Amino acid sequence: MHFDKLTRRLQQAIGDAQSLAVSLDHQFIEPEHMLSALLQQQGGSVQALLLQAGVQVNQVQQALQQRLKTMASVAVG
């Protein structure tokens, strides 16, 4: 995969997902990190598409937060 060929928004989402994973001491970027980053993007299309599909985005975000809290973390120190 050539990172430079991705859209600017997708590059930003990957960076945000990585930052989220690091902040939670997770070893890998998981789909949950990506979805969380995509849902948080200002002006992004993911949240709008989910809303149009009738998805309760707030419930998805809450479930994501719970899932992220329960994921294995790397012991630091």
Side-chain angles (χ1 to χ4, degrees):
M1 174 171 65
H2 296 281
F3 192 75
D4 60 321
K5 293 192 177 197
L6 300 175
T7 66
R8 184 182 55 78
R9 284 194 190 273
L10 188 54
Q11 289 176 9
Q12 182 65 44
I14 292 170
D16 291 345
Q18 181 181 22
S19 294
L20 177 59
V22 168
S23 73
L24 295 171
D25 296 323
H26 295 159
Q27 188 171 6
F28 303 104
I29 300 171
E30 300 288 351
E32 291 89 341
H33 298 109
M34 276 301 299
L35 182 55
S36 182
L38 289 167
L39 286 172
Q40 297 300 318
Q41 274 190 334
Q42 296 296 324
S45 59
V46 172
Q47 189 168 0
L49 288 171
L50 291 175
L51 287 170
Q52 284 182 343
V55 174
Q56 297 293 323
V57 175
N58 289 337
Q59 290 179 353
V60 171
Q61 288 174 323
Q62 288 174 358
L64 270 174
Q65 293 304 315
Q66 284 301 112
R67 173 68 181 126
L68 288 168
K69 287 179 186 177
T70 62
M71 292 173 75
S73 60
V74 177
V76 179

